[in-house]
Amino acid sequence: MARLSRLSRRTAGLTAAALLAGLLTFPTTLSAQSVEQQFQSWLAKDLWPEARARGISTDTFNAAFAGVKPNLKLPDLVLPGESRPRSDKQHQAEFRAPSAYFQHVGGVVSGGKARAQRLTSGLAAIEKRYGVPRGILLAVWGRESGFGSAKIPYDAFEVLGTKAFLATRKDMFRQEVLAALEMVEKRGVGARMLRSSWAGAMGQPQFMPTSYLKYAVDGDGDGSADIWGSELDTLASIANYLARHGWANGRDWGFEVVLPGNVSCSLEGPDRGRSIADWQALGIRRVGGKAFPAHELGAEGYLMLPAGRFGPAFIVTPNFYRLKDYNESDLYALFIGHAGDRIMYGDNGFVAPWQKVSGFSRSDVAAMQRGLEKLGHDVGGADGLAGFKTRRSIGAWQEKNGLAATCFPEKDTVRRLK
């Protein structure tokens, strides 16, 4: 396995002092420069002073940005002289049915089972230390990086530097690029070892640099937190992340249930919790005739309907929302919980089918959301995504207008509310 390497103090054909001097001598008239020149000037005059104040050395800064140019193909960039991103492809994209998210769950399950057998003792130690079930850890690992097999194509300093200079969320990415510099300066991570996704997430658990500094830990006992080459460091770091975000040891993540027709789908949401025994009293039952675990009955649970009445229904626990701390998508958290159960217990797929819902775009859904907002509903923002606030707002509107509540966008609903 690859190990973390100490920062090389040399750059190809260019000393640290010469590179920094070059950064500091670019012209100051931005209108006369290319985007690349403006980027180099920003590095020298804006980012470098703050990095230096945080204890970053000249050698580290220059090694990180040697040969780095802004990548203008990244999404969500606002070019100099412009006020908004040039395109919003996400909003124009076709609205996808939630079922599409689970197409590759089988590969994560099979890969997780194989690694559960191979890493038994290491997983047991990590599970004991952090209280997060091994199935969950394996599912996150598989989902994030294919158990380390996924190619991570970008130089992290290229991505983070570009986004800190040009992205719509400059302040956030500024903190991330400064954290990446700290990884090189204080954690001994080689600058070119930092490979990332287009969003700047790194290594097998796909941590942002600030998350690496907070949560990456040594899981194999060699004294380093190597989320690139060490399987046990990767798993321990995922476990530490979830534990420190409040994972409740001993609780499940959630259960697929049968939602009776007389129970409103608009009851969904983490702000409408009640004890699982109370949900059961409404007639909600686990699929397949299974009983809820006795230790869960008195604890709080929440109705979760990722496709409204067009797909499976769930009662989830607070641990479901700890998975959302890792990735804020309902479908991501459901993928992890479901895959983790299948890895550990051999469960099959969802019992209820996912019905096909399509024929409109994300911009159509955003228009529908704005229509609901005008009627006084809180949809959580007109972003073209059907989060729980949008889903239950649709259901409440449908019930008020004498319609069968589905709690999910569909052609007729979108058309009537746009």
Side-chain angles (χ1 to χ4, degrees), residues 7-352:
L7 170 66
S8 171
R9 297 297 182 180
R10 299 185 180 185
T11 56
L14 187 63
T15 66
L19 176 57
L20 185 58
L23 291 178
L24 294 173
T25 56
F26 275 107
T28 57
T29 306
L30 298 183
S31 61
Q33 300 173 329
S34 67
V35 174
E36 183 181 345
Q37 289 174 318
Q38 294 177 63
F39 175 72
Q40 298 296 338
S41 180
W42 170 80
L43 286 176
K45 299 176 184 298
D46 189 338
L47 189 65
W48 163 242
E50 184 172 359
R52 179 175 54 191
R54 292 194 181 196
I56 305 303
S57 68
T58 302
D59 284 353
T60 293
F61 192 84
N62 287 335
F65 290 105
V68 170
K69 299 178 181 180
N71 184 342
L72 302 184
K73 295 181 180 180
L74 296 173
D76 302 322
L77 303 184
V78 181
L79 297 184
E82 300 182 2
S83 60
R84 59 195 303 178
R86 290 190 170 184
S87 65
D88 188 355
K89 294 181 180 179
Q90 287 185 327
H91 247 54
Q92 298 306 318
E94 180 184 359
F95 185 84
R96 299 179 70 200
S99 57
Y101 199 90
F102 300 94
Q103 290 177 350
H104 304 295
V105 68
V108 171
V109 171
S110 60
K113 287 180 177 179
R115 287 161 179 82
Q117 292 181 344
R118 180 166 59 80
L119 300 171
T120 300
S121 60
L123 282 164
I126 292 169
E127 190 175 65
K128 181 178 180 180
R129 180 178 178 183
Y130 296 102
V132 183
R134 66 192 70 185
I136 294 293
L137 303 178
L138 291 163
V140 172
W141 183 23
R143 176 70 193 182
E144 292 296 333
S145 65
F147 306 103
S149 67
K151 292 183 178 179
I152 302 177
Y154 296 100
D155 181 291
F157 285 106
E158 174 189 283
V159 170
L160 297 170
T162 300
K163 285 181 172 285
F165 179 53
L166 294 172
T168 54
R169 295 182 291 168
K170 290 182 182 179
D171 291 343
M172 185 199 88
F173 283 103
R174 186 183 187 90
Q175 296 309 309
E176 295 297 343
V177 75
L178 288 166
L181 288 166
E182 186 174 338
M183 290 172 63
V184 177
E185 182 74 33
K186 301 178 182 179
R187 298 292 185 92
V189 184
R192 298 283 77 82
M193 188 172 180
L194 295 187
R195 307 294 297 176
S196 79
S197 70
W198 63 265
M202 304 178 306
Q204 297 188 44
Q206 285 290 277
F207 276 179
M208 297 298 287
T210 53
S211 291
Y212 177 90
L213 294 177
K214 291 178 183 177
Y215 308 115
V217 293
D218 175 17
D220 59 15
D222 71 348
S224 67
D226 179 4
I227 62 171
W228 297 269
S230 170
E231 295 177 329
L232 293 181
D233 287 4
T234 294
L235 290 162
S237 297
I238 294 168
N240 187 43
Y241 183 102
L242 293 172
R244 290 182 58 183
H245 278 80
W247 183 275
N249 189 2
R251 291 210 67 185
D252 291 273
W253 69 270
F255 312 93
E256 186 180 354
V257 298
V258 177
L259 184 68
N262 63 345
V263 177
S264 174
C265 55
S266 65
L267 294 175
E268 180 182 7
D271 53 350
R272 296 182 179 177
R274 58 184 74 193
S275 74
I276 290 180
D278 286 343
W279 288 114
Q280 187 171 254
L282 292 177
I284 292 176
R285 297 289 185 269
R286 286 186 71 183
V287 296
K290 299 178 182 177
F292 289 107
H295 71 273
E296 292 282 4
L297 289 175
E300 191 167 55
Y302 317 93
L303 182 63
M304 204 276 292
L305 301 165
R309 288 194 176 271
F310 295 114
F314 303 87
I315 295 294
V316 299
T317 78
N319 282 341
F320 177 84
Y321 296 98
R322 302 295 70 77
L323 296 174
K324 286 192 67 175
D325 289 331
Y326 207 101
N327 180 317
E328 63 183 348
S329 164
D330 284 342
L331 295 178
Y332 176 89
L334 180 57
F335 184 105
I336 299 303
H338 175 66
D341 282 352
R342 290 176 62 179
I343 289 168
M344 292 306 300
Y345 311 119
D347 293 349
N348 296 319
F350 301 110
V351 173

